[in-house]
Amino acid sequence: MTTFYTDEDSLSGFSSTIGGLWCRPIDVLDEPPDSFVFLRDYVQPKVPCIIRNAIPISWSCTDGRSTSSNSHAKGQMTLALDDIIDHLGESFKITVDVTPDGHGDSVRTVAHEVEGTETNGLDDLNERGLISPDGKSKESVQKMFVKPHEQEMTVAEFRHLLRGEPTDHDKRVSNCWKRMDNSADIDSNGRMIYPVMMKSKLEIQELGMRHRRNNSSQYLHPVVYYSRQNDCLRTELSALFATGIFPSTFAFAEAAFGTGPPDAINLWIGNERSVSSTHKDHYENLFYVCSGKKEFILNPPADILFLHEEEFPCGKFYPRHVEKRGESSMTSWAVVPEYDNETNLDNAAKGSATQARWIEPDIKRYLNGEYGKEEFQLLSKSHPIKVFVSEGEMLYVPSLWLHRVTQTMETVGVNYWYDMKFDCPHWCYFHFLQQLKRTNHSPMPRK
């Protein structure tokens, strides 16, 4: 069978071509372009841009006033969390992503139970010698794509948790799960290693306004993020969408994309603690910042070759109630593995582990110089572009562009997903790059 492979010089040349021809400073447009200009300059060549004045105040309310009590974007629609709660009422219920550290939907190192024994914390694993000093090399430790815990709560509870700060007790409890040398329970991305447990063994502890409700039961301060990604503005938040604050589409963009109205319109609410790890979407994405500021780190689709994307088994965070050696009870976290046959969650032998294709390294850690020379070596050939999107600005993220997203403060955003076109060279090219496999073959001799 004929096979293909490349050498270091070819990869470096390919990286230079990407950087020289595809990556450029992000254009900032003072107003939405017409559909032809948008198609010619941004959609067809697949390059991002920032658009201002995309949602003017005149759209947002029938009386023409701004919806935000603290508008920094004169003439543009703004909306803060307090405004949303004023519209919906404090008792309105939403489904929120909850994690111990803000890193949901990301690749993490997890620690398995050994020989049928339950793991009550990482200190137990450390004492048994089941985690090596680098947190990576023992059999009981593996990489897993971990999703956030999902919990229904009122918008008032969500605001309480979003704006709360960890107390001294929270920090002491958190330290119960960390080695003082800060090594054995931290993975290569600087995140804590949590134990894997079967769902039937968990005493699941819901989080919310009961946080720190009494002295006998203490809770680690969770990170909450409203990021449903399921057309939530027109479904779960349909009462908010019905106010007319948000447009149903952007005519210039819909005409340029040529795939009809948005497939989904999603609302996002979080702060600097929550992070969306580097990923791609099969959508043309228009992201508008209603209040606060978003930080995007963008990579062109061709960088998929350099970002160490792999297949990983899937799991999900669950808060769990535990007793800690005579101390007060508290909530820690465990990861529950997922299987294709959901009826067999407690028996891996009866169902195949669900797999996800995801990018392991944190591109921001790479930009900050936090990886060693031997870690994720191909990242040096990638082309990350950091861009901040402020209140009243809209970022166009072309389909298949990779992006890591966080906030610099409490931020409300809304994004519009328009279907991408698959019957085009762009998709074929990207799909081909995804299928290339890294090997340890020796390079071909140079002529």
Side-chain angles (χ1 to χ4, degrees):
M1 183 178 67
T2 302
T3 60
F4 299 87
Y5 72 95
T6 188
D7 58 20
E8 180 69 20
D9 288 345
S10 297
L11 283 176
S12 296
F14 180 53
S15 173
S16 296
T17 299
I18 297 168
L21 298 179
W22 204 346
C23 299
R24 65 194 195 196
I26 304 295
D27 286 349
V28 179
L29 311 180
D30 287 331
E31 61 184 12
D34 64 44
S35 57
F36 174 76
V37 170
F38 188 52
L39 174 63
R40 180 194 65 194
D41 294 347
Y42 303 103
V43 178
Q44 193 278 330
K46 296 295 180 187
V47 293
C49 65
I50 289 176
I51 303 169
R52 293 174 175 161
N53 294 300
I55 308 179
I57 288 177
S58 59
W59 177 271
S60 56
C61 291
T62 55
D63 61 4
R65 65 180 175 85
S66 170
T67 57
S68 173
S69 58
N70 186 24
S71 175
H72 298 288
K74 184 178 293 185
Q76 300 174 61
M77 188 276 279
T78 58
L79 188 74
L81 176 56
D82 291 337
D83 300 322
I84 293 171
I85 294 177
D86 287 343
H87 280 294
L88 298 176
E90 292 191 348
S91 61
F92 188 90
K93 289 190 174 183
I94 57 176
T95 304
V96 175
D97 289 343
V98 188
T99 60
D101 58 9
H103 291 272
D105 285 339
S106 64
V107 177
R108 310 181 66 110
T109 303
V110 295
H112 286 267
E113 296 175 9
V114 177
E115 297 178 356
T117 61
E118 253 186 53
T119 301
N120 287 323
L122 291 171
D123 49 350
D124 293 341
L125 290 169
N126 294 330
E127 288 174 6
R128 290 188 234 161
L130 300 177
I131 297 180
S132 63
D134 63 3
K136 294 183 289 187
S137 63
K138 288 295 181 73
E139 254 184 41
S140 61
V141 178
Q142 75 164 129
K143 304 288 187 181
M144 183 177 285
F145 174 71
V146 183
K147 304 173 185 178
H149 175 60
E150 296 175 330
Q151 184 176 322
E152 186 179 81
M153 63 181 69
T154 68
V155 289
E157 289 176 318
F158 171 70
R159 178 172 58 185
H160 169 79
L161 289 172
L162 182 69
R163 294 179 178 174
E165 291 293 331
T167 65
D168 289 340
H169 182 276
D170 287 324
K171 295 171 184 176
R172 287 196 301 272
V173 170
S174 179
N175 285 334
C176 290
W177 302 97
K178 294 184 179 181
R179 285 278 301 272
M180 293 306 293
D181 63 7
N182 206 28
S183 59
D185 55 355
I186 301 297
D187 68 13
S188 59
N189 280 317
R191 300 168 195 160
M192 276 192 68
I193 299 172
Y194 288 92
V196 172
M197 298 183 69
M198 293 304 172
K199 195 172 182 180
S200 62
K201 296 182 179 180
L202 291 177
E203 182 183 345
I204 295 174
Q205 176 67 63
E206 293 297 299
L207 302 163
M209 292 293 280
R210 292 171 294 171
H211 187 65
R212 294 190 290 272
R213 65 182 175 183
N214 57 51
N215 292 328
S216 63
S217 185
Q218 301 288 348
Y219 304 91
L220 288 181
H221 190 79
V223 178
V224 291
Y225 191 27
Y226 187 73
S227 57
R228 298 298 295 150
Q229 307 175 52
N230 61 352
D231 199 24
C232 62
L233 190 54
R234 296 187 294 192
T235 53
E236 185 173 67
L237 299 174
S238 59
L240 182 62
F241 188 66
T243 64
I245 293 171
F246 303 95
S248 59
T249 189
F250 295 93
F252 76 92
E254 185 174 325
F257 298 145
T259 54
D263 271 11
I265 306 176
N266 304 303
L267 197 71
W268 305 74
I269 309 172
N271 58 23
E272 65 278 3
R273 299 180 71 202
S274 52
V275 177
S276 297
S277 63
T278 301
H279 66 284
K280 66 186 179 302
D281 296 313
H282 297 92
Y283 287 105
E284 307 288 354
N285 186 1
L286 295 174
F287 196 106
Y288 183 89
V289 176
C290 304
S291 60
K293 182 181 286 189
K294 300 285 282 193
E295 176 193 278
F296 287 79
I297 300 178
L298 307 173
N299 285 79
D303 271 0
I304 194 66
L305 200 59
F306 309 125
L307 295 178
H308 296 264
E309 185 184 53
E310 303 283 354
E311 291 274 347
F312 297 94
C314 294
K316 190 172 185 178
F317 272 125
Y318 281 88
R320 63 182 185 129
H321 184 79
V322 297
E323 295 286 339
K324 179 63 181 174
R325 294 181 181 173
E327 299 178 14
S328 59
S329 61
M330 64 182 184
T331 296
S332 182
W333 293 85
V335 176
V336 173
E338 293 188 340
Y339 300 98
D340 291 335
N341 183 352
E342 292 189 2
T343 62
N344 294 320
L345 281 175
D346 290 333
N347 192 340
K350 294 182 181 179
S352 300
T354 304
Q355 299 286 313
R357 193 178 183 92
W358 209 259
I359 292 166
E360 178 182 353
D362 186 334
I363 197 69
K364 188 166 186 177
R365 287 179 63 84
Y366 164 70
L367 289 175
N368 293 341
E370 298 178 36
Y371 286 129
K373 291 182 179 179
E374 302 303 315
E375 294 180 291
F376 308 117
Q377 295 180 28
L378 288 174
L379 288 180
S380 63
K381 293 179 170 60
S382 65
H383 307 83
I385 304 168
K386 183 183 290 189
V387 57
F388 293 97
V389 186
S390 299
E391 181 178 291
E393 295 181 334
M394 184 166 73
L395 175 67
Y396 166 51
V397 182
S399 56
L400 303 181
W401 268 68
L402 300 121
H403 46 290
R404 178 197 191 273
V405 191
T406 187
Q407 301 71 224
T408 65
M409 62 187 76
E410 182 177 303
T411 299
V412 176
V414 60
N415 86 300
Y416 292 70
W417 272 339
Y418 296 81
D419 198 13
M420 66 170 282
K421 289 185 175 180
F422 287 87
D423 54 345
C424 65
H426 177 62
W427 165 247
C428 297
Y429 167 66
F430 178 82
H431 186 63
F432 169 73
L433 291 178
Q434 266 197 314
Q435 305 314 305
L436 297 179
K437 307 294 184 184
R438 293 194 302 275
T439 70
N440 294 321
H441 294 323
S442 299
M444 293 181 66
R446 297 182 184 179
K447 296 182 179 179

